[in-house]
Amino acid sequence: MADTTVPIFSLAELRKGVDQEKFRKCVTEMGVFYLTGYGAGEKDHQLATDTAMDFFAHGTPEEKQAVTTKIATMRRGYSALEAESTAQVTNTGTYTDYSMSFSMGISDNLFPSQRFETVWTEYFDSLYAAAQETARMVLTSAGTYDAGDMDKLLDCDPVLRLRYFPEVPEHRSAEQEPRRMAPHYDLSIITFIHQTPCANGFVSLQAEIGGKMVDLPVVQDAVVVLCGAIAPLATQGAVPAPNHHVRSPDASMREGSGRTSSVFFLRPSTDFSFSVPKARSYGLDVSLDAETATFGEWIGTNYVTMHATTES
């Protein structure tokens, strides 16, 4: 396996009660870990990835337009290269995300074909079950859970998104623009990330641990698990939501720097409510002018900002 400072846990072993103290310490101090034995295999990831990549490469402009959502507050269907800007959401710039993507959820989906729908629905279901089980372990490990009925919280509104990060052009190399995607924490309970490696060995994904950005290289048969913003809200701030970003390669590493990232966001239902002052006290950036807010209100404003047109 790849050399990494971030711990690797087996879901099968965690079920047996193995490494509980190590897991608790990792979850409360880092908010990020690798997970193996979670159900989906490399063939499952590859099939879903290949299905999306085939559409990216061969879908006609008309076919892509047909599965591009008109609803700015939802992530569904196809999103073109540089159509989004995480930097705008986080107020860290106006540069775009140098990626294209395809997304699905439980409902309101836009699929280009029946085969695509079948492959992705089976993949979605397997990741959903694994993410729910993992989230339960994460939220209980801290011993401070106070978000009500956990079964209700974990009856979620998840999103699965396949991102393709092509090799960057010269104007997006690290010397010109250091990142393909801006630093951010996820608006989720937890997030699964399955990566493919860059052919040239460049490590693009990093997470902030102890005030430093740490590489998260590909680990065979494992996903990266990142605790999202709902984790501190549900654990009285005990579980952090680490910032992470996607780096750009420098000019000498541009060739062979393409990669994909299959991301499963275990998001709460849109009516999940929280205290805005408490969220801010946990370091979360909530701009809503209210004492309490729902997850739907919070994430809706972020999606609108992400798709806003920038001035060049």
Side-chain angles (χ1 to χ4, degrees):
M1 285 190 172
D3 181 22
T4 172
T5 58
V6 175
I8 303 170
F9 297 97
S10 161
L11 184 56
E13 292 298 299
L14 290 174
R15 288 188 190 116
K16 298 175 183 177
V18 177
D19 288 333
Q20 292 301 298
E21 179 55 27
K22 180 181 178 182
F23 184 67
R24 183 200 64 77
K25 187 174 182 181
C26 171
V27 165
T28 57
E29 294 182 3
M30 293 185 178
V32 57
F33 56 93
Y34 288 93
L35 188 70
T36 62
Y38 52 91
E42 291 299 316
K43 289 184 178 179
D44 301 309
H45 293 297
Q46 192 65 55
L47 178 59
T49 298
D50 288 348
T51 301
M53 291 294 287
D54 181 69
F55 179 70
F56 293 162
H58 302 114
T60 66
E62 293 77 18
E63 288 170 334
K64 290 176 178 176
Q65 185 61 39
V67 292
T68 300
T69 183
K70 307 296 190 297
I71 306 172
T73 56
M74 294 185 70
R75 280 186 169 179
R76 294 291 188 272
Y78 176 71
S79 186
L81 183 65
E82 297 191 273
E84 300 174 353
S85 173
T86 300
Q88 289 188 150
V89 176
T90 57
N91 294 313
T92 55
T94 58
Y95 61 93
T96 57
D97 298 345
Y98 200 77
S99 69
M100 65 182 70
S101 64
F102 197 94
S103 306
M104 73 164 287
I106 289 177
S107 60
D108 301 309
N109 289 306
L110 300 168
F111 295 113
S113 69
Q114 183 60 56
R115 179 181 178 277
F116 195 119
E117 179 176 359
T118 299
V119 168
W120 267 55
T121 299
E122 291 178 359
Y123 184 54
F124 178 96
D125 290 346
S126 67
L127 292 177
Y128 189 13
Q132 286 174 308
E133 183 178 4
T134 305
R136 189 178 296 274
M137 292 179 177
V138 166
L139 295 176
T140 57
S141 67
T144 56
Y145 178 78
D146 71 345
D149 185 342
M150 193 178 296
D151 288 338
K152 182 178 179 181
L153 176 66
L154 296 180
D155 184 12
C156 291
D157 183 25
V159 170
L160 170 62
R161 165 164 275 209
L162 191 287
R163 282 190 180 273
Y164 170 46
F165 295 89
E167 294 181 4
V168 297
E170 289 186 14
H171 72 276
R172 288 298 298 258
S173 66
E175 293 88 346
Q176 305 298 322
E177 180 52 67
R179 300 180 181 92
R180 303 186 201 194
M181 184 182 297
H184 63 284
Y185 51 77
D186 288 340
L187 297 186
S188 65
I189 304 170
I190 62 168
T191 302
F192 277 8
I193 303 177
H194 179 272
Q195 312 176 73
T196 57
C198 297
N200 63 11
F202 178 70
V203 177
S204 202
L205 180 64
Q206 294 184 318
E208 186 174 1
I209 300 173
K212 296 181 180 179
M213 283 294 186
V214 174
D215 284 353
L216 295 174
V218 172
V219 171
Q220 187 70 21
D221 299 318
V223 288
V224 174
V225 181
L226 284 159
C227 297
I230 305 305
L233 292 177
T235 61
Q236 303 177 58
V239 177
N243 273 328
H244 49 286
H245 67 186
V246 180
R247 296 190 299 158
S248 293
D250 62 32
S252 66
M253 295 286 283
R254 284 175 50 223
E255 186 174 347
S257 65
R259 62 186 281 270
T260 64
S261 183
S262 175
V263 188
F264 189 88
F265 301 93
L266 188 70
R267 307 184 323 174
S269 64
T270 54
D271 61 2
F272 171 80
S273 63
F274 61 93
S275 162
V276 172
K278 281 188 178 180
R280 290 172 180 159
S281 73
Y282 302 147
L284 303 173
D285 182 14
V286 184
S287 60
L288 296 168
D289 185 18
E291 283 295 309
T292 61
T294 66
F295 182 70
E297 290 168 337
W298 189 15
I299 200 166
T301 59
N302 275 267
Y303 283 173
V304 171
T305 303
M306 178 176 284
H307 290 92
T309 303
T310 61
E311 296 292 335
S312 59

